[in-house]
Each structure stands twice: as C-alpha cells, then as structure tokens.
C-alpha cells in the first residue's frame, strides 16, 4: 500500500537529514509512540495581545493511506499498518498539534493548533525528513517537529 500523500508540497519549509541505523517499521512504531504525548511551551496568547503564556501542546499522529488520505497512527492501529511497510522507502505523516491554556478559573481553553506534513525517506541508512506547515499559525517551528522525532528515535533506540 502506498504511504505517500499525493498533495505533499514540492518545496517543503524545512529539511533535515541524519544517519539512521534502523528500518522504516521501527520509524513508524517510534512516530506512533508520539501520539498522545504532551508538554508545555511559551507562546503568544490566543487573545491577540501578544502576551506570552504557558500553553499545553498535545500531539496527534496520522499516516498516509492509499496516497489520498490519512488515518490515525497510534498503538491500537499500529499492527495493520506495520504489515505493509518495507525496510526502506518513503512514508508521509500528518502531525496535528493541539494547544490549550488554563483560564483564570483553571478551566482548559483550546485555541488554534498547527498541522504539519512530514515526509520521511530512508535510503542507504540516511533518513531525510521534509516538514511543511499546512494549517495554523506556526506556534511550533518545523525544526521542533524534527527535533521531537529525532529525540524519540534516540530514546527508543536506547531501549531496544
């Protein structure tokens, strides 16, 4: 099954290459592990006053399906996806970042998130990631998406 998205931009915003000693099934399992993770970061508030706030960022991961759509990728959907992944090649992911902040009454208030397309290409032990913002205000830089994936790969490789 093709795992590349037919509308992936020709000129992505960011590209990173690095040496990768594993295969694509390992990469897919690793990126699936990002789903549901969250953390906090400092950003401008959603009230357009440019007041710095500490917001919560949570990650949802999807994988390209039949070149035209994306399906959720998490520990529950991983097994059927892994079956058709080759050791090398190209796979596209969609990373949805959802943001929220606590208001004065400590209620969680969601605000506009970011959506990135991530194309991974593994060839001769070199992993190339092309990252492109398709929706949102880029509160999280594409470099941070790449860093998060690399950190997760290093963490998982250390546990193997």
């Amino acid at each position: 099954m093709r795992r590349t998205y037919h509308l992936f931009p020709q000129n992505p915003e960011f590209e990173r290459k690095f040496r990768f000693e594993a295969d694509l099934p390992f990469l897919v399992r690793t990126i699936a592990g990002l789903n549901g993770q969250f953390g906090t970061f400092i950003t401008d508030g959603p009230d357009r006053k440019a007041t710095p706030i500490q917001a919560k960022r949570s990650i949802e991961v999807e994988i390209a399906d039949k070149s035209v759509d994306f399906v959720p990728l998490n520990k529950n959907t991983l097994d059927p996806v892994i079956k058709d992944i080759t050791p090398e090649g190209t796979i596209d992911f969609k990373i949805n970042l959802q943001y929220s902040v606590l208001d004065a009454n400590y209620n969680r208030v969601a605000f506009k998130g970011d959506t990135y397309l991530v194309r991974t290409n593994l060839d001769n032990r070199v992993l190339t990631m092309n990252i492109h913002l398709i929706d949102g205000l880029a509160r999280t830089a594409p470099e941070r998406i790449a860093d998060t994936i690399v950190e997760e790969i290093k963490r998982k490789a250390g546990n193997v």
Side-chain angles (χ1 to χ4, degrees), residues 8-66:
F8 197 91
Q10 295 296 316
N11 299 312
E13 296 174 19
F14 181 77
E15 178 176 281
R16 175 166 297 163
K17 293 182 179 191
F18 66 97
R19 189 153 180 77
F20 186 68
E21 297 296 330
D23 58 7
L24 281 181
F26 174 82
L27 178 68
V28 171
R29 281 192 290 278
T30 301
I31 291 178
L34 290 173
N35 192 74
Q37 288 190 12
F38 61 91
T40 59
F41 72 114
I42 304 296
T43 187
D44 291 337
D47 58 4
R48 300 181 192 254
K49 294 180 184 173
T51 307
I53 59 166
Q54 183 166 350
K56 178 181 176 184
R57 170 177 40 214
S58 59
I59 302 171
E60 287 182 358
V61 180
E62 298 178 35
I63 189 167
D65 185 45
K66 301 178 185 168

Side-chain angles (χ1 to χ4, degrees), residues 80-127:
V81 169
I82 288 291
K83 290 178 186 175
D84 67 351
I85 302 293
T86 59
E88 286 192 346
T90 303
I91 299 176
D92 290 345
F93 300 92
K94 186 189 287 185
I95 307 289
N96 299 307
L97 302 175
Q98 298 176 339
Y99 306 132
S100 60
V101 65
L102 292 177
D103 67 9
N105 296 323
Y106 298 102
N107 296 316
R108 190 142 302 275
V109 177
F111 59 98
K112 178 78 172 158
D114 293 326
T115 302
Y116 283 93
L117 290 180
V118 178
R119 173 162 283 173
T120 58
N121 183 315
L122 180 60
D123 185 31
N124 248 354
R125 300 207 178 275
V126 174
L127 181 66

